[in-house]
């Protein structure tokens, strides 16, 4: 749970006001239209705070894409101890045919998108500060472009079920972020990409295909 709580804090990172982005604009954009729209809005960050927002949004969007791939094939229950795979997703009652290379698909996405999210983070040169409520963050798990039940970040990470801290619901907490959080997030992208390379090194498609073939007999 500590890893997920830290991840959720890093995740909120991207959504705050900057001198060139109206206060609350990015937060409102994500709340209403999702992460993909925010990535387009922050495609050319003009200062360190925008670079932080851009890196955070790209990071979240990378996680969202892995959720969407899992959901499309009905892999909505916890599928292992690794980050990204260990979170339950809303159910899909009409999944696509299962593909044995799903793990390769997911972790190839992770490796590629973690590198993209580091570009603006590594370009940060100075100090900044920003804050946002966890309630503004959600993943478009089913690719519907609207926020549906079970897609809130706090719920997916288990924070909505966490006990209150100091009398404040964790999922309602406003969190403040600064340069140190940007450096933590950049480091975490290296960790996830490294895990992706480890997974791909084992070529899991072959093992998964054997399990599927055995179960069909």
């Amino acid at each position: 749970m500590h890893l997920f709580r830290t991840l959720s804090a890093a995740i909120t990172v991207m959504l705050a006001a900057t001198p060139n982005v109206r206060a609350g604009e990015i937060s409102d954009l994500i709340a209403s239209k999702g992460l993909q729209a925010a990535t387009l809005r922050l495609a050319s960050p003009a200062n360190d705070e925008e670079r932080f927002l851009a890196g955070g949004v790209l990071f979240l969007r990378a996680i969202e894409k892995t959720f969407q791939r899992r959901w499309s094939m009905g892999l909505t229950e916890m599928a292992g101890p690794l980050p990204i795979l260990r979170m339950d997703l809303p159910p899909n009652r009409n999944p696509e045919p299962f593909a044995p290379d799903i793990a390769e698909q997911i972790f190839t996405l992770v490796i590629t998108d973690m590198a993209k999210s580091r570009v603006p983070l590594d370009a940060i040169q100075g100090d900044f500060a920003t804050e946002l409520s966890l309630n503004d963050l959600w993943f478009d798990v089913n690719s519907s472009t609207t926020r549906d039940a079970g897609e809130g970040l706090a719920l997916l990470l288990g924070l909505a079920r966490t006990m209150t801290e100091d009398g404040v619901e964790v999922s309602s907490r406003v969190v403040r972020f600064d340069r140190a959080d940007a450096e933590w997030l950049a480091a975490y992208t290296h960790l996830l990409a490294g895990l992706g390379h480890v997974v791909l090194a084992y070529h899991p498609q072959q093992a998964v295909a054997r399990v599927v073939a055995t179960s069909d007999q």
Side-chain angles (χ1 to χ4, degrees):
M1 178 59 70
H2 175 72
L3 175 61
F4 289 150
R5 291 170 70 100
T6 306
L7 174 59
S8 70
I11 273 174
T12 46
V13 87
M14 65 243 84
L15 302 150
T18 78
N20 295 320
V21 175
R22 180 180 57 82
E25 177 184 348
I26 299 303
S27 178
D28 293 344
L29 182 60
I30 293 178
S32 62
K33 296 185 178 180
L35 292 165
Q36 188 170 8
T39 61
L40 297 175
R41 177 63 183 84
L42 291 164
S44 300
N47 55 51
D48 283 340
E49 196 167 0
E50 287 188 17
R51 293 181 189 103
F52 183 51
L53 300 177
V57 168
L58 287 168
F59 173 84
L60 283 185
R61 176 63 179 145
I63 303 302
E64 180 179 68
K65 287 193 289 186
T66 69
F67 288 169
Q68 290 171 341
R69 199 70 194 109
R70 283 180 54 196
W71 186 89
S72 70
M73 291 190 184
L75 302 177
T76 57
E77 296 183 357
M78 184 175 68
L82 294 178
I84 298 171
L85 297 181
R86 66 181 299 175
M87 283 172 270
D88 291 329
L89 303 176
N92 179 1
R93 295 179 175 81
N94 188 30
E96 298 175 3
F98 179 76
D101 68 340
I102 181 62
E104 280 91 339
Q105 293 181 34
I106 287 175
F107 285 100
T108 297
L109 275 174
V110 169
I111 293 168
T112 301
D113 288 349
M114 289 300 107
K116 291 178 181 178
S117 68
R118 278 197 302 276
V119 173
L121 294 173
D122 289 345
I124 294 173
Q125 299 178 345
D127 294 326
F128 61 87
T130 189
E131 61 183 28
L132 185 75
S133 171
L134 295 179
N135 282 335
D136 291 332
L137 302 172
W138 62 285
F139 296 104
D140 187 13
V141 175
N142 61 7
S143 302
S144 69
T145 71
T146 59
R147 183 170 180 169
D148 297 315
E151 292 186 330
L153 178 147
L155 180 62
L156 287 172
L157 298 188
L159 299 181
R161 298 183 292 275
T162 302
M163 294 179 62
T164 60
E165 295 180 359
D166 302 325
V168 179
E169 292 279 351
V170 173
S171 60
S172 301
R173 187 180 293 277
V174 174
V175 184
R176 186 177 185 273
F177 301 93
D178 56 27
R179 174 74 178 271
D181 297 296
E183 293 178 356
W184 184 95
L185 182 58
Y188 194 68
T189 67
H190 283 288
L191 174 62
L192 289 184
L195 289 173
H197 283 294
V198 171
V199 171
L200 295 184
Y202 281 90
H203 304 290
Q205 177 180 353
Q206 300 172 17
V208 172
R210 286 197 297 270
V211 171
V212 172
T214 301
S215 63
D216 290 340
Q217 293 178 357

